[in-house]
Every structure is written in C-alpha cells, then in structure tokens.
Amino acid sequence: MNINVSRRGFLKASAAGTTALLVGINAKGVLAAGSTATAATDLNPFVKIDADGTVTVIIKHFEMGQGTTTGLTTLVAEELDANWDTVVPEFAPADVERYKNLFFGAQGTGGSTSIANSFMQYREAGAAARDLLVRAAAQSWGVDASTITVENGMLSSGGKSGHFGEFVAIAATLSPVEKPAVKTPDQFKLIGSDKLHRKDNTGKTNGTAMFAMDVNLPGMIYAAIIRSPKFGGTVVSFDDSAAKDVGGFIAAQVLPNKAGVVAFGKNTWAAFQARDALSVEWDFSAAETRSTDAMIADHVALLDAPQFDANHEVPLASVTPILEGAAKTIDAQFTFPFLAHAPLEPENCTIEPVGDGVRVHDGCQFPTLTRPMVAATLGIDPSKVEIRTLYAGGSFGRRANAASDYNVEAAMAFAVSGRKVPVKLVWSREDDIKGGYYRPMSAHRAKIGIDADGKIVGWDHRLATKSIAKGGPFEMMVQNGVDPTSVEGVAESLYTLPNMGIGLSDFTTAVPINWWRSVGHTHTGFVMESLMDMVATETGQDPIEMRLAMLDPAGANQARMIEAIKLVREISGWEKGDKRGFAAHFSFNTCVAVVADVTVEDTTVHVNKLFMAVECGVAINPDVIRAQMEGGAGYALSAIFRNEVTLTDGEVDQYNFPDYELLRNPEMPEIEVAIVSSNNAPTGVGEPGVPPTGPAVANAIFAQTGKRILDLPMTKAGFDFV
C-alpha cells in the first residue's frame, strides 16, 4: 500500500508527474473535482486517477485488520466500474473536517462504523468520477455521452476505446454533478462478490506492508518507559547508575507528567535493557492499591443502591412491587474481570522534527484526538502536527483511548530528548498487559418476575462499572448521569420486556479503562442472553421460539433479528430439546445469532462448532464479514474461558501471553457463518460477533451439565478449555 504523508505532500508529489484527476469534497462539503496540477487548496480527494489509468482510493479510516482498505475501495471501484486489480488504497492525511467519520463528527475509526458512515460518500465519489470520465471521453471523441459504456477501467463507444487515464486531463476541467446517480443493487458487480482479494493481503504476505513498528528513520533514537507499577503513582526520583552499563544507552529523563521515566537507547533492545536497569522511587499516595477480590466486592456493593435510573420510563423503584406480586422470580448475579486488548502489535509511535513542526508515524486510530494532544504536549499549533498513518497490527479499541496515551508519551519523550532527532517509542507486550488500558470490570444483578402463564411481568436490572465516557472528550455522550456505553445491550434490548427498570452505579478506580471490542456489549450481551436462557428453562420453552415470540416484527431491527435467528436455526438444524446453546444480540446496529455445539467431559469443555447468522445490511465484502465474525468469536472465546486481568495490592499480576493466553489453533472451533440477504444500508461487523458467542457457549454448557456460568472467566467455575 502507498501511504499518504500529508495533504500538501499528496498534491505536490502527484503534481510532479503527469496530471491526475482528483474527486472529493471541497470546503463547502460538496463534491468537487480538479487535477493534481491545478487543484484548489480546499479540495480533499477521495479518488485520484492517474494518467496511466491507476485509480487510488483515499482511505479515511485506518486499517487494523478489519478490512477497511478493501471495503472502501470496493465502494469506489463499484461505482467507477474500475479494474479491481489496478485500484489501490492510500491512507488519508489528518483533516478533521473533510475526512471525518460522519457518525462521530471527528476523524477516527471505531464503533464498527467505517463502512456504514462512508457507504454513500464513497459511492458518490466513485459515481462522480465515472460521470466526469464519461463526459470527458464524449468530448474527446465527439460522441454523445449516452453511447459510452464503462467496464474494468475502460471506456468505449462504437469502435473507440480508451482507459481512464487517457481522459483525466479533460475530466479535471469539468464540474461534477451535484448528486451523481449510483447503482441499484441489481447492478452490483463488486459489492457482494466473494471473489475479490483483500487489498492488504499481498503486502502483508510478502512483507512490504508498512506498520508503525517498521518505521526506521535516519538518526532515530529509541525510547522505552518505566511506568508506575500501581496505577496513579508518580515519580519521586530515579537512579540510572546501572543503566549506564548497558551498551547503547543514551540517557534517561523523568517524563514531564511524572508518570514514568524514559530511557533512550541506540536500538530497541538497548532502550528496554536500560529501562529495566533503572531504579525508581514512586509516590503511591493517589494510586490504586486494592486487590481484585476487594474491587469485585466493591462493585457488588454498589448494586444495592444504584446511583442512576438508566430507564427513565420505568424507575427501578417502581419494579419492586411488581416483582413482589410475581408467581415466581429468577435471581442471578454476574461478575466480569478487567480484560486487556492485547493487540499483536504493541503500541509504538515515532515522532520526527519537520520544519517548525513534527511528523507522527503511527497506526493512528483517532487523528482528531492524537493531533491536538501531541500539539498540546509539545506546545505547538495542531496545524504543525502531521500524521502519517500506517497499518496497525490490531487494536480492539486500545489505540483510540481518550488520552492518546502512547502518542503523548512519544511526544514527551521527543520533548525531553531535545527535539533534534526522531524518537521512536516502543511498548513491550509486558508494558501493555501490565500497564495499558482495560475493558472495565463490572457486576450485574437481575431479578425477573414471571406470572402463572410463564410471561415476564417485571425486570429489575442493576449494574456497576467504571464509566468510559466520563471525565474525557466523550463526556457529551453522558445523559442524566448515565454513560450509554455502560448500559448498552440492556437499555436498548430488542426484546419486549415489560416493566424493566435499570439501575447504574459508576465504579471509581485509577485503573485506566477503555472501549474493548464491542465495548459495553461484552458484558451486557452475556448477561442478557444468559438471563433469557434462564427464563426459557424456568418456563419450559424452546430458547429460540421464546426469543422469536418476544420480538415484534413491526420493528425494523426486530424484524432483522428475526431473520438472523431463523437463518441460524436453519443452518444449524436446531430442534427443541437440543443440548446446544443459543444466543442472539443486537450491537452496532447489527443482528447476530449463534448456536454453539460443545462437548463437556467432567470439567473439560471443547467447542466443536459455532453456527453464526448475521444481518448487517448489504454485504459489501462477504469474505471480510465472515472473517470478522470468525475473529470476533475467537476473541470472545479467549475472553470467556480464561482471560482476566487481576491485581494484587493495585499491581497487575499478568504480564504476557503465557498468563494472558490467546486461543490456540487446535482450540478454535469450526465456524459456519451465514449472511442474511439484505439491501439495507450496511452496518457494523468488526465487533458484533463478540457479544453473543460467550453466552451461546455458556448456555450450551448449562444444557449439558445444568451448571450456570455467572462469573467470568469460566475457570472460576472449574471448567478447562481444550
């Protein structure tokens, strides 16, 4: 993949060669066109077509393995009728206004929104470029535009033909139509195709793909940081005497925020070794010092008197008399641990001086956060911070934290180094697992009232977790004290649940928490689908039939979920009385239903096969969708069976994959993914496969053993996973 350096550099580099056509958004937010030689400075392109016919799609969302470079390229290539083999993706420069996520209003990748927010934007850019080329060819050939056909990057009319590049000079002088016509689903050739190779496959296979970890600049020095072993601790003093004996050691400095000491070396190994040789005295007066058991107990205690009513239509207090009058009740309490994101490429970032500013080399997930945070750290204007986005080896939310932690650390290291040479900060796996950001710990308690006919009459649901949004740039999400990411998956359940009160309490800790793949749905989905299975068991109903009966087909999303459930029932051959598990969950505007086939022998569990059905609107890249469902399921299985981050006196116990173990290849079940045929606008697929996988497996274990899994990981219930 070609990697963009800056908007100005993009135009300058292109202009150095033959004129190319640019189609994108201007300062007024409308489609515009120009050339690399004459483009107005306010044009930020989505499509560039060179004189040799090469089509470049400017990707506004970064690629961490989820397929954005393929998906966004598909949208443009489809409308342009381009030759897939000659279309290449290129990351967009940092430009909040023109490359913003239309759902966030900021430039960033997350929430499984990349394709959903860009669907029409990129299609219209491709359609506009196609129209410009057609009109340019008509002018060049002296024919009516209606006689011109476009296929695989070639235009033809009668006996005349030519590739895109032959017409870019004329096309660049034309104005795009205000609202270009896009294709109808029956005209799609690339969208929905199973035959497209991923655009990042070749580079990642032959080693030419550039990740942030691959950056190596002339004169670069390396930085590693020793951070407080207890979250919230600060540096009092340090001794670098032993570090001076490390070959390649350069110097050590306290970070300006006193959160750690940075060691500089001539290479990564020297920086790590010198860092480990430092002796640091810490102030833990404001640090977290509790151990895991105490923190769990504190979460559970918060359930007794919730701080906020998350469902304002049904105050929690109003549910109590309803439950008292119920024929029977179901009571359950769940706890969930902190979880690490554990991307395979640990955090790293390189900052180099460029003129009176800096260039940041990063697998940058959220330029809107990173740019001003780096600028503030260095005391420069944000316009002086250029971001060169590269591939990221995973994220799962880790690289999008509100503090832009590793970017800011790199900026601080650059500042204390003297700002003369490039500085590359590298986190080790141990750094990230012991001192990174985590999925918040949480606890739930539910009491469900059932009448004599087996119908739910009331639902008291309480949960306690640390807020992700409060106290940061995303605080505008909070409404009436409720962080929606804390209660999502419960508050907007698709099921018809009468008299459902929801109580929320915010847990307080210095442990840094962040969105983790599927955010609040990671715990709410497990709880809701476990509780639904409990209701089915208590009332003697088939788990699938009961859920279908509780979904109103008149609701658009409910109707979509019904389709997903029916499809997974069909492909799995589910029958009433099956000793398998079922779960379904709606998240990121996507419906996923799962049937889990497991084998339990004593306390040993093996997941044989997962059947997954997904309704995610029109399937842009079916193979990518299946891969995301499979990857989400594998990620979920690691988490529910064995993963947890525990603390002893405020210090994380785990350090690397030996004790924060990922799923191994022999443990990965066979997965069959079916996609509901739909012409709805596309929705997210990066995260929705995670929430229903865990409860489907837990419900399968119950079906075979009669034992409910209420506390994760499942090792707490004595189960081993093979």
Side-chain angles (χ1 to χ4, degrees), residues 352-678:
E352 66 170 318
V354 179
D356 59 350
V358 296
R359 179 178 296 134
V360 178
H361 302 259
D362 180 36
C364 190
Q365 187 165 354
F366 232 99
T368 292
L369 293 177
T370 298
R371 200 178 195 189
M373 296 291 279
V374 168
T377 302
L378 296 176
I380 60 177
D381 190 89
S383 65
K384 301 297 183 181
V385 177
E386 178 187 320
I387 297 178
R388 183 187 183 214
T389 297
L390 302 105
Y391 282 123
S395 174
F396 315 114
R398 174 64 181 90
R399 302 178 195 275
N401 66 82
S404 294
D405 69 319
Y406 68 96
N407 302 121
V408 169
E409 284 187 343
M412 288 190 290
F414 176 73
V416 300
S417 75
R419 308 189 185 208
K420 301 296 184 183
V421 298
V423 174
K424 182 172 186 175
L425 171 71
V426 180
W427 284 52
S428 67
R429 179 89 53 220
E430 292 83 358
D431 288 339
D432 193 35
I433 291 181
K434 292 190 75 69
Y437 279 68
Y438 307 98
R439 192 279 301 270
M441 178 183 283
S442 62
H444 290 242
R445 181 185 298 154
K447 187 169 187 175
I448 304 167
I450 300 172
D451 67 14
D453 296 323
K455 303 293 184 181
I456 295 173
V457 294
W459 189 304
D460 180 313
H461 198 122
R462 304 164 182 225
L463 62 154
T465 190
K466 182 178 179 179
S467 169
I468 295 173
K470 290 184 178 180
F474 301 101
E475 190 147 20
M476 77 287 292
M477 298 170 59
V478 177
Q479 298 182 359
N480 299 313
V482 176
D483 179 348
T485 68
S486 296
V487 297
E488 60 186 2
V490 176
E492 75 282 11
S493 172
L494 297 183
Y495 300 121
T496 301
L497 300 173
N499 302 310
M500 185 181 193
I502 305 169
L504 171 68
S505 293
D506 291 333
F507 182 70
T508 303
T509 176
V511 176
I513 54 97
N514 195 36
W515 357 81
W516 188 89
R517 192 174 185 178
S518 73
V519 200
H521 297 282
T522 64
H523 52 93
T524 62
F526 189 94
V527 171
M528 290 299 294
E529 287 304 293
S530 295
L531 291 169
M532 292 297 289
D533 202 65
M534 292 180 195
V535 172
T537 299
E538 185 66 34
T539 58
Q541 299 182 70
D542 175 71
I544 288 182
E545 286 299 329
M546 185 192 78
R547 287 171 173 81
L548 289 173
M550 295 176 67
L551 291 166
D552 182 358
N557 290 326
Q558 287 83 349
R560 294 171 59 210
M561 180 61 85
I562 289 171
E563 290 297 311
I565 292 175
K566 287 182 176 179
L567 181 57
V568 84
R569 180 173 62 181
E570 176 185 337
I571 65 172
S572 68
W574 176 280
E575 295 181 355
K576 185 174 182 179
D578 263 4
K579 295 297 183 182
R580 295 189 286 177
F582 172 79
H585 194 71
F586 177 74
S587 62
F588 304 95
N589 206 26
T590 291
C591 303
V592 179
V594 181
V595 169
D597 181 354
V598 310
T599 296
V600 184
E601 295 181 358
D602 295 326
T603 59
T604 299
V605 178
H606 180 71
V607 181
N608 306 311
K609 185 171 183 177
L610 296 176
F611 299 88
M612 306 181 76
V614 53
E615 207 292 356
C616 57
V618 61
I620 308 300
N621 303 116
D623 189 55
V624 171
I625 293 170
R626 284 189 285 269
Q628 287 300 294
M629 290 298 112
E630 293 164 355
Y635 200 72
L637 291 176
S638 292
I640 66 168
F641 274 110
R642 56 171 71 109
N643 287 167
E644 61 178 331
V645 169
T646 60
L647 292 85
T648 300
D649 298 329
E651 298 186 21
V652 172
D653 300 314
Q654 292 71 30
Y655 74 101
N656 206 319
F657 289 148
D659 58 1
Y660 193 84
E661 191 176 356
L662 303 183
L663 204 67
R664 307 293 179 173
N665 281 341
E667 299 168 334
M668 188 69 182
E670 178 185 354
I671 301 179
E672 181 177 342
V673 179
I675 303 170
V676 176
S677 179
S678 173

Side-chain angles (χ1 to χ4, degrees), residues 52-65:
D52 64 0
T54 299
V55 177
T56 301
V57 179
I58 313 304
I59 308 297
K60 71 177 185 178
H61 296 286
F62 94 139
E63 174 73 72
M64 52 185 155

